[in-house]
């Protein structure tokens, strides 16, 4: 699992590459700490190359959403695959994020 | 400028830092009082009179003031409310916070004759025991504020003659805004009464008598109507439930033909089993142990739409309403229709 963070103008792009399963989530949680500190911006979670998400992965998305809500920011989930979209739907997470 | 006025200006210069400090303290105490009371304001303005403005005042009527303490508007604040009845609430808060010099305070709302319309504002001259200078607090509604600004713009105070027809039009406008202010307050008070009645009906369980709208649905959500279903779904995987706002389901229930809260409770009763079966099928074979509280109402709506023959188009419309229109909602709808066809509730 790889997490790449890029800043573009007032946006933060967080790119998830690979499988966001339970072991990978520990590392990913640490990787997103700078994003949480700067959550007043628009945070784009780029999921084009995210092949799998577990409950731990969903918790990371939720943590980012909560931090953004607290700081007046916004979260957009971009380019999720159909499989991950189904996971979002099955858990009721589809309504929580703006998905592009 | 004579020596007397120069002395007043010197006193002003000497005390300017303290004026600025006190202005901030007053502003801060007003803000926290209004926040605590839940009073929503249209504006809260403050200023310390500038040296040039004070000099201008002294040039015009310097002899009227013996000392700087006789000038009551060195610090001036303006509280602008949305509603006319909030002006009195604000005034009462100001009375609690500061000592009001009633002799010099003016309620301009009461100075008009029955056949005249114009500037309506409440002006309090206040003081604090720890500060030797008085300050002025003006209170008015946002419409009174707009009128006062427009009126000021005509320059009537500048001594330049303004044609009577403009003044008459301003006066007509003042009368109209007074009526509008009253109507806004009336609407708010009627809405408050309606909400109280609805809350009482919801609490008493007479849900068939409660029409479905934004207010009533919000009260209904306060009863946690989907909790039982959510807990049942969560028990499939011993999942944690994340509470999320559910107001976006209101238009979906409306589109499903619900006219009262009673209609929604019947859907909960009739379709909870179907909603549960959908959840079991979807998450039962996964290790997903986190769900949002929207899963219950979402699956209820899916079960209702599928059972009523709404099919893919109906499910897509539901997700379009919840998450915004998107082509991907079509693939989700297809996925759900395929999954649900073998579920027991579809064949009962």
């Amino acid at each position: 699992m790889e997490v790449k963070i890029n800043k573009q103008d007032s946006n933060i792009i967080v790119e998830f590459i690979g499988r966001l399963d339970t072991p990978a989530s520990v590392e990913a949680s640490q990787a997103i700490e700078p994003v949480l500190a700067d959550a007043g911006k628009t945070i784009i979670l780029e999921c084009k190359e995210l092949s799998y998400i577990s409950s731990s992965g969903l918790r990371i998305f939720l943590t980012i959403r909560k931090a953004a809500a607290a700081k007046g920011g916004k979260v957009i989930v971009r380019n999720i695959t159909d499989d991950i979209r189904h996971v979002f739907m099955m858990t009721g997470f589809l309504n929580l994020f703006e998905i592009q | 400028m004579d020596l007397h006025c120069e002395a007043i200006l010197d006193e002003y210069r000497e005390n300017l830092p303290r004026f600025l400090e006190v202005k901030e303290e007053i502003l801060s105490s007003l803000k926290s009082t209004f926040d605590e009371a839940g009073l929503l304001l249209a504006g809260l303005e403050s200023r310390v009179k500038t040296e040039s403005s004070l000099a201008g005042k002294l040039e015009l009527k310097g002899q009227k003031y013996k000392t700087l303490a006789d000038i009551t508007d060195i610090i001036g604040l303006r509280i602008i409310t949305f509603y006319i009845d909030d002006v009195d609430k604000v005034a009462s808060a100001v009375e609690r916070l500061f000592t009001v010099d009633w002799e010099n305070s003016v309620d301009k709302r009461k100075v008009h004759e029955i056949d005249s319309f114009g500037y309506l504002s409440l002006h309090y001259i206040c003081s604090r025991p720890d500060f030797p200078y008085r300050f002025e607090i003006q209170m008015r509604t946002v419409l009174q504020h707009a009128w006062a600004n427009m009126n000021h713009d005509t320059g009537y105070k500048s001594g330049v003659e303004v044609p009577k027809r403009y003044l008459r039009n301003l006066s007509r406008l003042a009368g109209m805004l007074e009526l509008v202010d009253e109507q806004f307050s009336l609407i708010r008070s009627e809405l408050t009464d309606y909400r109280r009645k609805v809350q009482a009906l919801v609490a008493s369980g007479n849900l068939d008598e409660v029409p479905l709208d934004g207010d009533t649905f919000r009260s209904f959500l306060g009863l946690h109507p989907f909790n039982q279903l959510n807990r049942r779904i969560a028990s499939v995987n011993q999942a944690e439930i994340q509470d999320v706002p559910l107001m976006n389901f209101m238009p979906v229930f409306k589109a499903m033909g619900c006219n009262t809260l009673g209609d929604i409770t019947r859907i909960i009763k009739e379709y909870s089993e179907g909603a549960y079966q959908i959840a079991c099928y979807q998450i039962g074979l996964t290790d997903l142990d986190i769900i949002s509280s929207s899963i219950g109402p979402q699956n209820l709506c899916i079960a209702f739409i599928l059972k009523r023959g709404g099919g893919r188009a109906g499910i897509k419309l539901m997700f379009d309403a919840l998450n915004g229109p998107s082509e991907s909602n079509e693939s989700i709808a297809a996925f759900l229709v395929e999954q649900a066809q073998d579920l027991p509730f579809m064949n009962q």
Side-chain angles (χ1 to χ4, degrees):
Chain A
M1 177 75 214
E2 199 182 341
V3 180
K4 286 184 186 170
I5 298 169
N6 289 304
K7 289 188 181 180
Q8 277 181 6
D9 303 324
S10 60
N11 298 342
I12 301 176
I13 301 175
V14 187
E15 197 177 348
F16 294 95
I17 301 164
R19 288 172 61 82
L20 190 50
D21 53 19
T22 306
S25 293
V26 179
E27 217 173 293
S29 296
Q30 288 167 351
I32 60 149
E33 271 173 21
V35 178
L36 302 182
D38 206 8
K41 296 182 172 170
T42 296
I43 302 166
I44 298 169
L45 306 181
E46 175 57 64
C47 302
K48 196 175 171 185
E49 294 186 55
L50 177 66
S51 55
Y52 173 83
I53 190 163
S54 68
S55 297
S56 312
L58 288 174
R59 284 190 177 89
I60 287 178
F61 277 40
L62 202 62
T63 304
I64 296 172
R65 180 185 177 270
K66 281 182 182 169
K71 293 185 175 173
K74 181 182 170 187
V75 180
I76 297 170
V77 177
R78 203 160 70 181
N79 295 322
I80 49 172
T81 62
D82 276 354
D83 283 348
I84 289 171
R85 192 182 296 275
H86 293 161
V87 171
F88 271 59
M89 183 270 292
M90 293 189 296
T91 49
F93 272 60
L94 206 54
N95 309 323
L96 296 189
F97 295 94
E98 182 179 334
I99 296 178
Q100 290 182 351
Chain B
M1 192 176 293
D2 62 20
L3 283 174
H4 167 68
C5 292
E6 281 293 353
I8 291 180
L9 264 183
D10 282 345
E11 189 181 346
Y12 164 85
R13 287 186 202 108
E14 202 176 301
N15 286 287
L16 183 57
R18 183 66 185 136
F19 278 123
L20 292 166
E21 240 173 55
V22 171
K23 182 205 72 167
E24 287 306 317
E25 288 167 12
I26 297 168
L27 197 60
S28 158
S29 62
L30 285 171
K31 272 184 188 160
S32 58
T33 302
F34 298 142
D35 281 350
E36 273 170 33
L39 256 171
L40 190 62
L41 296 178
L44 185 51
E45 300 173 349
S46 66
R47 62 107 184 91
V48 170
K49 197 181 262 304
T50 60
E51 185 174 330
S52 61
S53 169
L54 178 62
K57 190 170 189 153
L58 291 171
E59 289 274 5
L60 281 176
K61 38 190 174 180
Q63 294 314 311
K64 190 180 156 191
Y65 308 111
K66 282 184 192 157
T67 67
L68 185 64
D70 290 333
I71 302 173
T72 54
D73 66 345
I74 299 291
I75 295 176
L77 295 103
R78 186 174 289 143
I79 306 166
I80 305 158
T81 69
F82 284 108
Y83 296 97
I84 200 159
D85 37 10
D86 283 350
V87 173
D88 290 323
K89 287 182 196 162
V90 158
S92 136
V94 170
E95 287 164 30
R96 282 198 304 274
L97 284 171
F98 311 111
T99 305
V100 179
D101 171 358
W102 293 109
E103 255 181 51
N104 292 297
S105 299
V106 188
D107 189 348
K108 296 200 177 183
R109 302 171 302 175
K110 291 177 182 162
V111 299
H112 286 280
E113 296 297 330
I114 51 166
D115 56 353
S116 82
F117 298 95
Y119 186 55
L120 298 170
S121 189
L122 182 58
H123 292 197
Y124 277 1
I125 305 300
C126 303
S127 61
R128 292 189 342 181
D130 60 337
F131 187 60
Y133 301 99
R134 287 171 292 172
F135 47 92
E136 182 176 310
I137 301 182
Q138 298 184 0
M139 294 152 274
R140 58 200 190 196
T141 69
V142 69
L143 292 180
Q144 289 165 354
H145 183 60
W147 187 90
N149 281 346
M150 285 184 280
N151 195 41
H152 189 263
D153 225 27
T154 61
Y156 78 102
K157 271 188 174 173
S158 63
V160 178
E161 187 72 25
V162 175
K164 273 188 180 159
R165 64 189 167 105
Y166 295 124
L167 294 179
R168 179 172 148 69
N169 281 345
L170 270 169
S171 181
R172 288 168 66 207
L173 197 58
M176 192 186 83
L177 294 179
E178 201 177 318
L179 276 172
V180 175
D181 255 342
E182 278 181 16
Q183 281 302 310
F184 276 140
S185 273
L186 190 65
I187 290 169
R188 179 171 75 160
S189 121
E190 284 174 353
L191 260 176
T192 308
D193 282 351
Y194 171 71
R195 284 180 181 138
R196 277 200 199 109
K197 275 181 204 157
V198 161
Q199 278 165 359
L201 282 171
V202 171
S204 67
N206 294 326
L207 299 180
D208 279 325
E209 290 176 36
V210 186
L212 174 58
D213 60 36
D215 273 332
T216 60
F217 191 64
R218 186 172 283 109
S219 298
F220 184 56
L221 290 176
L223 298 176
H224 310 292
F226 307 110
N227 270 15
Q228 199 181 347
L229 175 60
N230 279 330
R231 280 200 292 265
R232 196 174 168 211
I233 292 172
S235 70
V236 176
N237 280 0
Q238 300 304 310
E240 162 196 353
I241 303 172
Q242 283 291 323
D243 274 323
V244 297
L246 300 176
M247 278 304 289
N248 54 344
F249 280 92
M250 201 278 288
V252 177
F253 282 114
K254 272 264 180 201
M256 283 161 45
C258 295
N259 294 316
T260 66
L261 297 183
D263 292 335
I264 301 180
T265 53
R266 274 184 286 281
I267 288 179
I268 295 172
K269 202 172 164 191
E270 285 176 39
Y271 294 92
S272 278
E273 180 56 31
Y276 173 71
Q277 287 175 18
I278 292 169
C280 281
Y281 188 85
Q282 289 178 339
I283 62 170
L285 294 174
T286 71
D287 57 0
L288 291 166
D289 62 2
I290 181 168
I291 59 172
S292 93
S293 59
S294 71
I295 194 69
Q298 174 188 289
N299 284 6
L300 267 179
C301 296
I302 293 169
F304 176 92
I305 292 166
L306 291 179
K307 193 72 181 160
R308 298 280 182 109
R312 276 166 62 166
I315 302 287
K316 181 183 181 299
L317 276 176
M318 180 198 88
F319 280 113
D320 281 351
L322 287 174
N323 312 325
S326 157
E327 280 179 26
S328 59
N329 291 334
E330 176 78 43
S331 74
I332 291 215
F335 173 75
L336 277 162
V337 169
E338 193 188 328
Q339 273 191 343
Q341 61 191 1
D342 296 327
L343 294 177
F345 83 94
M346 287 298 286
N347 303 307
Q348 279 165 2

